[in-house]
Amino acid sequence: MPNILLIKVLTLEIRLINLLLTLASSREPADPNAGSMGVLPHPTAREIGRRRKRGPTPREKTVFREDGDGIDQKDGNYGKMISGWFKNKRLEECNRTIEELAEAKEQHLELVFTSEGKGDTLLAILIPLSILLYLVLAPYTKVEESFNIQATHDILTYGLPIKQAGSKLRAQYDHHTFTGPVPRTFVGPLALAAVSWPGSLLLEGVNKQILVRATLGIFNAFCLLSFRNGVRKLWGRTAANCFVVFQAGQFHLMYYASRTLPNFFAFGLTTLALRDLLPISSPSSTNRRYKRALTILTATGVVFRSEIALLVATHTLYLLAFKRHYITLYEITTCGLFGLLIGLSLTVPIDSYFWFRFPLWSELSAFRYNILSGQASNWGTSPPHFYLTSALPRLLFNPFIYQICLPFTISLPTLRPQVRDILIPNLAFVALYSFQPHKEWRFIIYIIPTLSAVASAGAAWIWNRRAKSLVYRVLALCFVASSLGAFGASLIMLAVSRSNYPGAEALDHLHRLHLREDFSKGTVRVHMDTLTCMTGVTRFLHIPAPSPHGLSGRDASADVMYGVSGSDTSAEVMWIYDKSEDATQLLDPGFWEQFDYALAERVETVIGKWEVVGTVDGYAGVAVVKPGDAMIKSTDDDSSRWQRSWERFEHWGRWVTRGWWLRPRSEPTIRILRKQRAGLEV
C-alpha cells in the first residue's frame, strides 16, 4: 500500500478510535498524562508518519502498557497500544468496535481505490488536449482522408437535395467526379456534418475544416476516456493514470484521432465495445456489457471496416470457450444479428441515396474488391511478422510499454487471469489478420487501448511499490523518463509530419499572393496537379467554400470549382479551381491558355510561358539544430499563421533545450506559376 494511502487510513482509524475513547471518558477518570478528555490528542497525517517511524514514546508506553494482537498488524504500534487499552477496559465492546472499524476501513479503502481526484481529472484532459494540439498544428489532410473530408464538406455546403437529387448530386458532389475504385460509406461524413453544422455556420476555409476534424477528435477522445474509466474500475486510479500517460504519448493514435480515415470513424466505437469486454468484476452487469459490446462491434464492422468482423470472431470464440457462464450461444447469435440489422439499416439507405445504386452495401463492395479479388496487394505487401515486429512497436511508441510493462504484467500471477481475458482475443485478431498480404498499421489500431491497459496495470504495480525496493525505484524512474521521452519524440514527429502538406501550403500562399498584388476584380483560374491535390488541398480551402447560391457551382466539365471571394479587397473575384488529370488534355497547349496560375511539382509539365512566383518546400529528412544556429524566421508575406505558430513553438523549445532542436529538412516541392501577361482577364 502506498505511504500516502496508509496515512489516510491511519488518520481515519485514529479519528474513530479517539471518538470511542472520548465517549468512554465520561465514566472514567482522566489520566493526567493524557490529552484533553482523557484521550491522546488527535494527530495530524504528518504526525502519524513521524510516529510510525520512531515508535511509541515513553509516555505512550506508560498509558498503553500491554501489547495485544492489534487492529491490524500492518498498522504497527498504534494498533497494539489501542488493542491493549481495549483489552483492559471493555472486551465485548472492543470486539464489536473492531468489526465496525474494519468494515469502515475497507469501505474507505474501496473509496480511495476507485474515487476520482482533481489531479486524476486534470491528467485525463491530457488526451483531448493532445489530439487538439496535433490538429491545430497540422490542420491539413492527405489523399487517404480525401473522400470523407470532401464528403463532409459537400454535405455541409450543399445539403441533402430531395428534388432532382440525382442531377444536383452529380453536379455538386466531389465523389461523382473522383469516384475511386469502390464506393465508400457516407454514414461517417453524414454524422460528422450533422454534429459540426451549427458551428460551421460561423466559420469558413481551413477553420471550418478544423472544426469538422475536431468533432471527430473529441469523439475519439471521449471514447478513450471511457475506456480509461473501465481501467480504473478494473485496476484502480494509478493504473488509469498510467493508461492516460501511455495513450497521450502515442503519436500515431493522437495524431490520427481527428483524421477522417474510415478506421478512425470506427475506432471510437470499437474502443467503447472493448471497454465493455474488460474483465471487470460485476456479475450483475457482465451479461449486459458483453451483449452490448458484440452488437457495437458487429454494426461497426458492417458500416465502416470489414476487418472488424475478424475482431468480432476472436472475441466471440473466446467468450464461448471461457465465459459461457456469462453469455450463451443464443445470446451471442442474437447480438450478431441485431448488430448486422443496425449496420445494414444505416449504410444501405444512406449509401444508396448518395451513389444512386440500390441496394448498396459499400463495405461489402470494398471487401470483395480488396480481399476476394486480391486488389489490396496492389498497394504493397508485407511479411507475416510485420504487425508484431513493426506496426505494434510503432503504435505503442513508448518502448517501456512493450519491453517492460507488458512482459512484467503477464508474469504477475495476481493479474494473469484478467490479462489473459484481454490479450488472447485481441492478439489472436492480429495473428489471423497477418495472413492478409497487404498490411497497414491502421488496420490493427483498434487493439492499442487494450494493450495500453495491460501495460498500465504493470506500470501501476511498479509505481505503487517504488518505495519498497531499489528495483522498483529504478523501474519507476525508467517509466517517468520513457514517458517524457515519448512526449518529446511525439513533438518531433509532429514537426516532421506537418511538413507533408505542401499542396495546401501552396494554395494558401497563392491566395495571399494574389491579394497582395491587388488583382481585385475578375476571374482567377488555377490548375492544381496531382501532387498538389494529394498533399492537403480540399474544398474547404477554396475561396470561399462553394455555395449553392450565386456564382458558385459546378462547371460543365465537372472538374472545375467556382468560388467568390468574400473579402472586402476582392469582393468581385471569382476563383475557378481545376484538378484535371487526363494525360492527353495536359499535353494540349490550348488547355493551359485558360489558366492564370498553376500549382505544379515540375515546371516542365506546364506548357506555355510561365514565371515562378513562389515555391513551397516539402519534407526531405531531419536536420539537427545546434546551439548558435540561426532561428528560423518567416514574414507575414511568405508563411501561414500555422507556420508562424510552429516557429514560435520552436523558439520556446530551443530555449528549454539550450539551443538544441530537431528541425525537418525541406526541399522545393510545389512551384507556384503565373502566366506571363500584363494582368488577369476580366
Side-chain angles (χ1 to χ4, degrees), residues 154 158-176 353-354 356 539 548 553-554:
D154 293 341
Y158 303 114
L160 305 177
I162 298 177
K163 296 181 179 180
Q164 299 178 342
S167 60
K168 290 181 179 179
L169 289 175
R170 288 190 180 94
Q172 297 170 342
Y173 274 60
D174 183 79
H175 70 285
H176 283 292
Y353 167 81
F354 282 102
F356 307 125
R539 288 183 159 193
R554 175 75 75 159

Side-chain angles (χ1 to χ4, degrees), residues 306-368:
S306 58
E307 69 263 14
I308 297 176
L310 195 57
L311 186 62
V312 176
T314 57
H315 278 280
T316 299
L317 292 175
Y318 188 83
L319 291 176
L320 287 174
F322 300 101
K323 303 291 182 179
R324 295 197 68 172
H325 53 289
Y326 286 121
I327 188 168
T328 64
L329 177 61
Y330 173 78
E331 290 174 323
I332 290 175
T333 305
T334 303
C335 292
L337 293 176
F338 186 52
L340 177 65
L341 178 63
I342 293 175
L344 291 178
S345 64
L346 287 173
T347 187
V348 171
I350 291 175
D351 295 338
S352 298
Y353 167 81
F354 282 102
W355 290 98
F356 307 125
R357 304 183 205 172
F358 185 85
L360 176 61
W361 182 358
S362 297
E363 197 54 33
L364 180 60
S365 301
F367 177 79
R368 289 173 176 172

Side-chain angles (χ1 to χ4, degrees), residues 100-362:
E100 295 174 355
L101 182 57
E103 182 180 355
K105 178 180 177 180
E106 293 213 350
Q107 293 176 355
H108 180 67
L109 280 171
E110 178 69 17
L111 181 63
V112 171
F113 190 66
T114 60
S115 62
E116 191 81 8
K118 292 183 179 179
D120 302 332
T121 303
L122 291 176
L123 184 64
I125 297 176
L126 191 61
I127 289 180
L129 285 182
S130 298
I131 293 175
L132 294 178
L133 173 67
Y134 293 165
L135 164 61
V136 170
L137 292 179
Y140 301 122
T141 61
K142 294 192 76 172
V143 64
E144 296 88 353
E145 311 157 57
S146 176
F147 170 79
N148 286 307
I149 197 69
Q150 303 283 42
T152 305
H153 166 273
D154 293 341
I155 294 172
L156 286 173
T157 303
Y158 303 114
L160 305 177
I162 298 177
K163 296 181 179 180
Q164 299 178 342
S167 60
K168 290 181 179 179
L169 289 175
R170 288 190 180 94
Q172 297 170 342
Y173 274 60
D174 183 79
H175 70 285
H176 283 292
T177 302
F178 303 95
T179 57
V182 292
R184 307 303 302 183
T185 182
F186 268 82
V187 174
L190 185 61
L192 202 57
V195 176
S196 58
W197 173 74
S200 68
L201 299 176
L202 306 175
L203 302 171
E204 64 178 19
V206 70
N207 293 325
K208 185 183 290 188
Q209 178 170 295
I210 290 175
L211 172 66
V212 168
R213 286 186 50 197
T215 303
L216 178 60
I218 292 298
F219 171 72
N220 284 328
F222 166 80
C223 296
L224 285 172
L225 292 179
S226 176
F227 195 95
R228 172 250 182 200
N229 291 338
V231 174
R232 178 171 57 85
K233 290 184 178 181
L234 180 61
W235 285 314
R237 294 169 56 186
T238 305
N241 291 336
C242 292
F243 175 81
V244 170
V245 172
F246 285 152
Q247 289 295 102
Q250 291 169 356
F251 169 76
H252 291 83
L253 184 53
M254 296 294 102
Y255 185 77
Y256 281 88
S258 65
R259 297 190 172 272
T260 54
L261 291 164
N263 309 81
F264 286 91
F265 280 104
F267 175 79
L269 297 173
T270 59
T271 301
L272 292 177
L274 293 176
R275 191 263 192 196
D276 281 337
L277 290 170
L278 290 176
I280 300 172
S281 179
S282 179
S284 60
S285 64
T286 299
N287 177 266
R288 183 174 66 254
R289 289 190 293 107
Y290 285 173
K291 290 191 292 186
R292 183 170 60 217
L294 293 178
T295 302
I296 294 174
L297 283 176
T298 304
T300 304
V302 168
V303 175
F304 293 110
R305 292 297 305 183
S306 58
E307 69 263 14
I308 297 176
L310 195 57
L311 186 62
V312 176
T314 57
H315 278 280
T316 299
L317 292 175
Y318 188 83
L319 291 176
L320 287 174
F322 300 101
K323 303 291 182 179
R324 295 197 68 172
H325 53 289
Y326 286 121
I327 188 168
T328 64
L329 177 61
Y330 173 78
E331 290 174 323
I332 290 175
T333 305
T334 303
C335 292
L337 293 176
F338 186 52
L340 177 65
L341 178 63
I342 293 175
L344 291 178
S345 64
L346 287 173
T347 187
V348 171
I350 291 175
D351 295 338
S352 298
Y353 167 81
F354 282 102
W355 290 98
F356 307 125
R357 304 183 205 172
F358 185 85
L360 176 61
W361 182 358
S362 297

